[in-house]
Amino acid sequence: MALFGAVFLALLAGAHAEIPGCKIRVTSEALALVKQEGLRFLEQELEAITIPDLRGREGHFYYNISDVKVTELQLTGSELHFQPEQELALQITNASLGLRFRRQLLYWFFYDGGYINASAEGVSIRTALQLSQGPAGQMRVSNVSCLASVSRMHAAFGGTFRKVYEFLSTFITSGMRFLLNLQICPVLYHAGMVLLNSLLDTVPVRSAVDELVGIDYSLLKDPVVSNSYLDMEFRGAFFPLAEGNWSFLNRAVEPQLQEEERMVYVAFSEFFFDSAMESYFRAGALKLSLVGDKVPHDLDILLRATYFGSIVLLSPAVIDSPLKLELQVTAPPRCTIKPSGTTISVTATVTIALVPPMQPEVQLSSMVMDARFSAKMALRGKALRTQLDLRKFRIYSNQSAIESLALIPLQAPLKTLLQIGVMPMLNERTWRGVQIPLPEGINFVREVVTNHAGFLTIGADLHFAKGLREVIDKNREVIDKNPPAATRQPQASEAPLPAPAAD
């Protein structure tokens, strides 16, 4: 009985789980590029380490080590890999640090000072970023674990008290190694919890596409990490800005990601495109009205000839009135994705009327238009762009078959109008595209689009158009003015520190 209840609850939870309209997979193929940029960023962070002064006494000798600065950093061995369930792990081995610091020594009344070059060798760092869904649906670094150690440290002492410094080097280098160990993990923790999260803040979650429509890229759950990829599921739904709380029920096929050969894969379901068209429909954007000189001259003559019998029965004041041609979509267009291609189906009314000045317009005819467009998708930079091409077009009357036959002469002129007058406007807008949820400074290159039954996938490689440092510094001022909620410092278990020991 308990087993039946558990199965029922699992099925109930699955029935209410929201289907993603967009999925993104980052594969292990991208990690070499990410590691290259990440190490460059990490070097800059570690080179800025602030090490406190070291003071001590040994017998009658008093020493003070101050103004410690990192002059050189070599990260020779490193590995970046995915770590189930939600982590991205970085392992650095056998790295080295070059240091320069000021020495001061007092023995009775004798004083010696100057600068010393030192090196920290055998530096090992292991850190892992835990990725999760943030409260606003964004991806966040929710925790940073860290393990760091420095195995050896050497200092090149000189000056009047060289022999004395050599005698004291054990105490000084061990103390500095201890202080250096203390600083590495807090720097990495800050880099992950504050700086990398500021980078993730540049990923659009719920933003405006234009003045009419917005898009919601909220994560639906925590990212899923395997040994070879990281998968993210997004709502991927458009919405009319005037109806911010409006939601479109997703009944489409869930997009699937199976490939791992490219750096990144993005999948879009039919729902993604349907929600865009329904949003524009609800926003009142899917209509076009041409009046007077806006109607092509040849089409104006043809329409007046076609409806001559109706026009001559009107009063003389109306006969020469400007002609109006109105095209209005009557239902949200629908997208169909098949292995053979992507099509958009549209049904609209075409209304033809005369518009006499200062008088109500006089309708001459109303007909139904069915059109089918082929849609080709492409990723450029980080924008999904669409190119539409008119494939099928027909007009008919919903009043009678006889009237439909009378409309046959208008078929070709209206199709030409659609191709010449309407399609360029549509393609100008769809080719501007909509942004994909990627951080600032990262773009897609060399994309390949593949259609499936009910969804399409785009495989691509990644390109850093801007460095992590450039993007983070751009947002650092915002961080400083609006600091995040206090982030706890790493606990001892996250950043174990060796006690000072003699070299």
Side-chain angles (χ1 to χ4, degrees), residues 32 63 85 95 121-122 128 141 198 331 354 378 410 425 497:
Y63 58 88
E85 299 282 332
E121 299 175 352
V141 177
S198 76
L354 291 174
L410 296 178
M425 291 189 295
L497 302 168

Side-chain angles (χ1 to χ4, degrees), residues 307 365-368 394-411:
Y307 297 103
S365 178
S366 178
M367 63 197 82
V368 179
R394 75 182 183 109
I395 54 172
Y396 60 92
S397 171
N398 55 6
Q399 302 297 324
S400 68
I402 296 176
E403 189 174 349
S404 295
L405 291 174
L407 295 176
I408 292 177
L410 296 178
Q411 184 94 8

Side-chain angles (χ1 to χ4, degrees), residues 27-220:
T27 73
S28 56
E29 296 295 319
L31 293 185
L33 179 66
V34 174
K35 185 182 78 170
Q36 177 184 349
E37 188 62 34
L39 287 178
R40 186 180 299 114
F41 167 71
L42 188 59
E43 286 177 358
Q44 294 167 338
E45 288 300 302
L46 292 176
E47 286 174 354
I49 282 180
T50 301
I51 300 176
D53 296 350
L54 177 66
R55 298 180 177 87
R57 173 184 176 181
E58 186 65 26
H60 296 292
F61 291 97
Y62 295 84
Y63 58 88
N64 179 32
I65 303 299
S66 60
D67 197 19
V68 183
K69 296 187 182 302
V70 177
T71 59
E72 184 183 6
L73 177 62
Q74 293 183 352
L75 304 178
T76 51
S78 60
E79 179 189 0
L80 182 67
H81 62 274
F82 293 121
Q83 183 171 291
E85 299 282 332
Q86 294 170 236
E87 293 189 337
L88 183 63
L90 174 66
Q91 176 92 34
I92 297 174
T93 56
N94 203 30
S96 62
L97 284 166
L99 302 170
R100 181 174 174 81
F101 56 87
R102 184 185 180 193
R103 73 180 189 275
Q104 293 173 295
L105 176 67
L106 180 65
Y107 177 66
W108 291 101
F109 300 106
F110 299 97
Y111 172 81
D112 181 55
Y115 281 88
I116 296 176
N117 293 321
S119 63
E121 299 175 352
V123 179
S124 296
I125 302 172
R126 177 176 175 79
T127 184
L129 307 178
Q130 184 174 3
L131 305 173
S132 64
Q133 175 191 23
Q138 75 279 39
M139 187 164 76
R140 309 294 292 167
V141 177
S142 57
N143 192 31
V144 178
S145 60
C146 178
L147 212 66
S149 65
V150 180
S151 62
R152 300 178 303 280
M153 192 150 188
H154 302 285
F157 294 102
T160 307
F161 294 98
R162 177 180 178 182
K163 294 298 182 181
V164 175
Y165 275 116
E166 289 178 352
F167 171 73
L168 295 173
S169 64
T170 296
F171 302 101
I172 295 174
T173 56
S174 296
M176 287 193 62
R177 182 159 61 93
F178 175 71
L179 292 176
L180 190 58
N181 277 326
L182 281 174
Q183 299 304 312
I184 292 176
C185 281
V187 167
L188 296 182
Y189 190 84
H190 179 265
M193 295 297 292
V194 178
L195 300 184
L196 288 183
N197 274 331
S198 76
L199 177 70
L200 293 175
D201 283 340
T202 66
V203 178
V205 177
R206 189 175 174 90
S207 58
V209 175
D210 53 29
E211 68 280 2
L212 296 174
V213 166
I215 188 165
D216 188 342
Y217 277 127
S218 300
L219 273 174
L220 298 181

Side-chain angles (χ1 to χ4, degrees), residues 370-384:
D370 284 340
R372 183 172 298 175
F373 304 88
S374 65
K376 292 184 179 179
M377 313 298 175
L379 277 178
R380 296 290 187 271
K382 58 166 61 73
L384 176 66

Side-chain angles (χ1 to χ4, degrees), residues 358-371:
M358 308 299 293
Q359 294 185 42
E361 64 181 50
V362 179
Q363 181 174 309
L364 299 177
S365 178
S366 178
M367 63 197 82
V368 179
M369 180 199 78
D370 284 340

